[in-house]
Amino acid sequence: MLDAPPSRLRRLDDAVMAFVRFVRDAGALALLIAFGLGSVLWPARNTKRLMDLWYNRLPYELRVEGAIDAAVGAAGVLLGYAIVAFVARRRGGGSLTAIVADLNRRMVWALGLPLVAFVAIEPIEKHYPHLVAVYVAIFAGLVAASVQASRLPTWKLPRVAREVLPPLILLVIAGLFAAHLSDLAITNHQALRTQTADLGYYDNIFYQSSHGNPLGCTFMPHGHHYSGHFDPILVLLSPLYLIYPQAELILALQIIWLTLGVVPAYLLMRHAVRSPWAGLAFGLTYLAYPALHGVAMYEFHSIALLGPLAMGLMFTLQTRSFRAYWVLLPLCLLVREDVPLVMALVGVSILFSMPEHRLHGWLTLALSVVYFGVVKGLIMTSSDLLNCSNGGSCFAYYFEDMIKHKKGMRDIALSVGSNPAFAVSRVLIIKEKLLYLLQLFVPLLGLPLIAPRGRITMLFGLVFTLLASREPVYSIAFQYSTFIYPFAFAITPLALAALLDGRRLPGLTLHRGRLVRGLVLGMLVASTLLSWKFGVVVDNQAFKGGFARIQREPDKRSDKMRAFIFEAMEKVPHEARLAVTRQMGPQVSNRPFVYPYPQVRRFPDAELDYVLMRDQDLDHAERGRLRTAERKKELKQVAARHGIRLYEVLKPGFLERERKRDVEKRASKRRKDAKRKRAEKEREKQRRREAEKRAREKRGPTR
């Protein structure tokens, strides 16, 4: 009886259980993958209806059409699965479950295709940027998992080709990248989309420094840049300005300088995982990095120069090339007065992560502290980190939530020390700061956060940006991410190397070589997709170079306005004292005496010969003051066209009279404010008296 053949019911039960096990182990995921691939057919064919798809506003007929497309696509994928499984079984590839499970591991990236379809909606990056970053992170993670599970084909190239081809490809792409961004930056500048602050400032610094006045800047009240920043590296670069003394040169210089960051990016990854192709992918990740685009396209800033230098500095530490390290460290310190605080953290990192080289750590720490003390105490106008003393250009308004008594950095330290819960809340409750962190770390798959060493180098940048109250400080459209991204890129290869040798996730049973390959390609995918939606290379709704979107195409009206500016400037002697409004500044800042208007009225002992202004740069009251001065024969209009006017100052002392008018205006405003406050106090007293009277009437007469 026991040897009898199984009954039909038993065979049916076995078949059902085998099918259930197949569905559990491989079939269900295969169906999801098939649906993921099939569901993108309709969006790919109807790109103009993606917004209706996002808001679920499609009419019934289109929904049915989309469902049919998804079903047809899924059926095609399942047919492909069946063909592959059949061929594999014929070749002795194992059980059907094992074959389908292996295909699933290779095709798991398809699960994220519906997310990519939504990311492709054109304005989604403007209205739902957090969602875009999260979707990209999920898809990049799926790509990394898929690549890790795949045995990609290998090509047996000659050793020379393996070593030379990846950096050569990277340099060609980097050259095209620099040319494209330089063209965009110059086009944006020539369309009058740049301003005195900050391109005009730095253009005048280059002009003054190249003509024997180091870090001079007549746009600043004291005639030099020390009241705002101390950046002597500009003096070293200023001879380049003599090649083409226009703002276009420093715009292109900044972009080329930042593009050179691909060199340390390539070297860092190649050294960490011993793969030139991984170095190529990491270099491309750097070029696609959206925060890099924001730094490159927001006019010119000295702090932007720190990026490639800091990455090179970290590479010299990882390779123990201390001679090169001591060449790059002084260059980093010369970038700006606050960089020594970052370099001090590099020294601390050496002390803890490289105990055999503690001497270099102590020397770095000592040099950074001494240099910072000398610059703030002896050279700059203000000794406070935020320049909030002795007439410096105070940046306390960057942290107005943390600074209640206007005492600069001391007030921030007091707020953090006495009320840490409030400081943490400033980081957690502002959604723009969460977006900022996503845009910084999603392109790197969060790997800097698990690096075995070097994370402390990001501390200053994270504290500086996340405690700020002013949105530009924690936006990738501005230059402040330079305090973070170079170090994030520098320590990401360390995290990969730790995964490769098992120092991170020691119980991991995956093939470590394929894991690193998957993570490198995942970073490239994440950075590329985020660049598509937040970067500058592809036009989108979210990217801004600073406060506004850039202009990508030449504009005939702007060309005519620039031509008129240069025509008008031919009437102004080069040594004349010229005041300009904010959009005129960077167009004519290559002069020895150029001042901001109307701010020049606050400059001590300044006098003017000419005023170049654009109507839209001034409010109605300021334009009225210029017309009044013209009627009084204090000014003469020399040229006017396209809303741009050039005035010649006829009477000496024009600016002094304007200063007196400002004093009278401020005094009148103070009197009006005092009168308004007295009236408000009287009204408040009257309201209290009336409230007390009503309360007495309500209580009734007392016995």
Side-chain angles (χ1 to χ4, degrees):
M1 189 70 180
L2 293 175
D3 297 332
S7 65
R8 292 181 179 178
L9 186 61
R10 180 66 179 271
R11 288 197 298 270
L12 178 62
D13 180 68
D14 290 343
V16 170
M17 292 306 298
F19 178 75
V20 170
R21 285 193 295 271
F22 170 75
V23 172
R24 180 194 64 189
D25 296 339
L29 184 56
L31 284 173
L32 289 175
I33 290 172
F35 174 76
L37 284 166
S39 64
V40 298
L41 289 182
W42 191 91
R45 294 193 301 107
N46 300 271
T47 55
K48 294 182 179 180
R49 302 301 299 268
L50 290 179
M51 184 55 72
D52 292 331
L53 181 66
W54 169 255
Y55 286 109
N56 200 27
R57 296 186 304 217
L58 291 174
Y60 177 77
E61 295 79 8
L62 291 181
R63 295 187 190 203
V64 172
E65 182 183 330
I68 293 173
D69 282 358
V72 171
V77 174
L78 292 177
L79 179 61
Y81 263 71
I83 293 172
V84 172
F86 175 77
V87 173
R89 288 292 298 273
R90 290 290 298 270
R91 294 179 178 177
S95 66
L96 178 63
T97 301
I99 294 170
V100 174
D102 183 61
L103 281 173
N104 287 343
R105 287 191 291 271
R106 296 168 184 263
M107 296 293 296
V108 71
W109 58 270
L111 292 174
L113 285 180
L115 304 181
V116 176
F118 282 115
V119 168
I121 299 173
E122 185 172 342
I124 192 175
E125 65 271 15
K126 182 178 180 180
H127 302 294
Y128 302 99
H130 299 77
L131 203 56
V132 171
V134 172
Y135 281 3
V136 167
I138 294 172
F139 181 70
L142 292 173
V143 169
S146 181
V147 173
Q148 187 278 328
S150 303
R151 296 179 180 88
L152 297 179
T154 58
W155 294 278
K156 294 183 179 180
L157 296 174
R159 180 183 177 86
V160 175
R162 291 199 307 269
E163 295 294 328
V164 173
L165 197 57
L168 183 61
I169 294 173
L170 183 58
L171 290 177
V172 170
I173 296 175
L176 296 174
F177 173 84
H180 178 56
L181 263 64
S182 297
D183 178 65
L184 289 177
I186 291 171
T187 298
N188 187 61
H189 167 64
Q190 293 180 346
L192 307 184
R193 302 294 293 272
T194 54
Q195 301 193 20
T196 300
D198 293 301
L199 182 58
Y201 290 173
Y202 283 102
D203 187 54
N204 192 249
I205 291 169
F206 270 89
Y207 175 86
Q208 301 282 354
S209 299
S210 63
H211 287 78
N213 182 18
L215 296 182
C217 182
T218 55
F219 283 117
M220 307 297 287
H222 301 282
H224 52 70
H225 202 218
Y226 308 157
S227 59
H229 294 298
F230 182 70
D231 28 28
I233 195 171
L234 302 182
V235 180
L236 301 180
L237 297 174
S238 62
L240 297 174
Y241 190 75
L242 299 174
I243 299 173
Y244 185 77
Q246 298 282 349
E248 287 86 344
L249 181 129
I250 65 172
L251 289 172
L253 172 64
Q254 175 174 261
I255 290 170
I256 293 171
W257 185 284
L258 290 172
T259 304
L260 290 175
V262 299
V263 176
Y266 170 84
L267 295 174
L268 283 161
M269 184 59 73
R270 188 187 183 284
H271 175 263
V273 301
R274 301 290 188 264
S275 171
W277 295 103
L280 169 62
F282 197 56
L284 295 177
T285 300
Y286 172 82
L287 292 179
Y289 194 60
L292 176 74
H293 300 177
V295 175
M297 297 303 297
Y298 180 36
E299 303 192 3
F300 182 95
H301 297 87
S302 58
I303 191 61
L305 304 178
L306 176 65
L309 290 175
M311 292 171 66
L313 183 81
M314 298 296 285
F315 174 71
T316 61
L317 285 179
Q318 294 178 22
T319 57
R320 308 300 194 267
S321 304
F322 287 105
R323 290 185 179 179
Y325 173 81
W326 286 106
V327 172
L328 289 174
L329 179 62
L331 290 177
C332 290
L333 295 175
L334 295 177
V335 168
R336 215 169 77 168
E337 78 284 350
D338 44 5
V339 172
L341 300 177
V342 184
M343 294 299 108
L345 294 176
V346 173
V348 173
S349 177
I350 296 173
L351 291 177
F352 285 99
S353 62
M354 301 168 61
E356 70 277 14
H357 298 290
R358 280 195 185 130
L359 178 60
H360 295 284
W362 285 116
L363 290 175
T364 300
L365 191 57
L367 178 61
S368 300
V369 172
V370 170
Y371 179 79
F372 179 76
V374 169
V375 169
K376 296 299 294 185
L378 302 179
I379 299 177
M380 295 189 67
T381 306
S382 172
S383 59
D384 182 72
L385 179 61
L386 299 177
N387 296 333
C388 295
S389 63
N390 300 330
S393 298
C394 183
F395 299 108
Y397 64 98
Y398 284 15
F399 304 89
E400 59 184 10
D401 288 345
M402 304 295 297
I403 297 178
K404 297 301 182 184
H405 305 291
K406 298 182 179 180
K407 293 184 179 180
M409 200 62 196
R410 288 178 296 169
D411 214 350
I412 293 181
L414 184 62
S415 296
V416 173
S418 62
N419 196 357
F422 175 80
V424 173
S425 71
R426 294 299 90 193
V427 177
L428 299 180
I429 68 175
I430 300 177
K431 63 179 182 179
E432 288 79 10
K433 293 183 179 179
L434 174 61
L435 175 63
Y436 178 67
L437 292 174
L438 289 172
Q439 290 171 329
L440 286 178
F441 292 110
V442 166
L444 300 174
L445 299 184
L447 290 174
L449 304 178
I450 64 168
R453 60 181 186 273
R455 285 173 292 177
I456 194 173
T457 57
M458 299 187 294
L459 181 62
F460 175 82
L462 290 171
V463 171
F464 178 83
T465 56
L466 296 181
L467 288 182
S469 311
R470 190 169 179 253
E471 187 173 347
V473 181
Y474 49 85
S475 167
I476 64 169
F478 294 81
Q479 70 274 20
Y480 303 103
S481 62
T482 306
F483 288 119
I484 302 173
Y485 84 79
F487 304 99
F489 267 89
I491 64 177
T492 294
L494 297 178
L496 284 173
L499 290 173
L500 194 61
D501 62 18
R503 284 176 288 149
R504 282 290 185 268
L505 307 177
L508 203 64
T509 59
L510 301 174
H511 187 285
R512 299 187 187 279
R514 292 205 297 267
L515 174 64
V516 170
R517 181 177 62 194
L519 290 174
V520 169
L521 291 179
M523 286 189 289
L524 179 57
V525 168
S527 189
T528 301
L529 289 178
L530 284 181
S531 179
W532 173 28
K533 306 310 291 185
F534 299 114
V536 69
V537 177
V538 179
D539 192 13
N540 56 64
Q541 298 292 318
F543 179 79
K544 292 181 179 180
F547 293 96
R549 298 186 65 193
I550 65 169
Q551 184 162 324
R552 293 174 172 269
E553 299 294 335
D555 178 66
K556 291 184 178 180
R557 183 171 180 271
S558 299
D559 291 342
K560 292 179 181 179
M561 294 170 70
R562 270 178 56 86
F564 171 71
I565 292 171
F566 294 138
E567 177 186 331
M569 294 309 296
E570 292 178 357
K571 303 175 183 179
V572 180
H574 189 65
E575 299 293 326
R577 298 165 293 184
L578 173 70
V580 292
T581 55
R582 65 175 187 272
Q583 289 188 342
M584 298 295 98
Q587 308 297 329
V588 297
S589 47
N590 54 343
R591 303 175 61 85
F593 304 104
V594 57
Y595 307 98
Y597 190 87
Q599 294 86 349
V600 67
R601 292 199 289 263
R602 298 197 295 268
F603 288 21
D605 305 323
E607 280 299 339
L608 298 180
D609 299 315
Y610 291 88
V611 177
L612 177 67
M613 55 86 69
R614 188 179 182 185
D615 289 344
Q616 71 178 45
D617 288 348
L618 300 176
D619 58 25
H620 179 74
E622 287 293 345
R623 293 197 298 271
R625 291 178 71 163
L626 288 174
R627 288 194 293 269
T628 300
E630 186 178 4
R631 285 196 302 270
K632 292 181 178 181
K633 306 298 182 182
E634 295 178 350
L635 298 177
K636 181 179 74 172
Q637 185 171 282
V638 178
R641 201 182 307 158
H642 308 300
I644 299 173
R645 307 175 192 277
L646 176 65
Y647 291 100
E648 181 181 0
V649 179
L650 298 178
K651 294 183 179 180
F654 160 73
L655 207 56
E656 185 61 34
R657 289 188 291 274
E658 289 292 300
R659 291 193 189 101
K660 291 180 180 178
R661 291 168 188 161
D662 274 352
V663 171
E664 294 172 358
K665 185 177 179 180
R666 286 194 294 269
S668 175
K669 185 177 184 300
R670 284 195 295 269
R671 289 193 296 270
K672 290 180 180 178
D673 289 344
K675 184 177 179 181
R676 176 177 53 80
K677 289 179 181 179
R678 288 195 298 270
E680 288 177 353
K681 288 181 180 179
E682 288 298 326
R683 286 194 294 270
E684 183 63 27
K685 289 180 181 178
Q686 182 65 24
R687 283 193 293 268
R688 284 199 298 267
R689 286 195 292 266
E690 291 176 356
E692 291 172 358
K693 182 178 179 182
R694 287 194 297 270
R696 287 195 300 270
E697 291 174 351
K698 189 175 181 180
R699 288 194 301 267
T702 57
R703 295 181 180 180

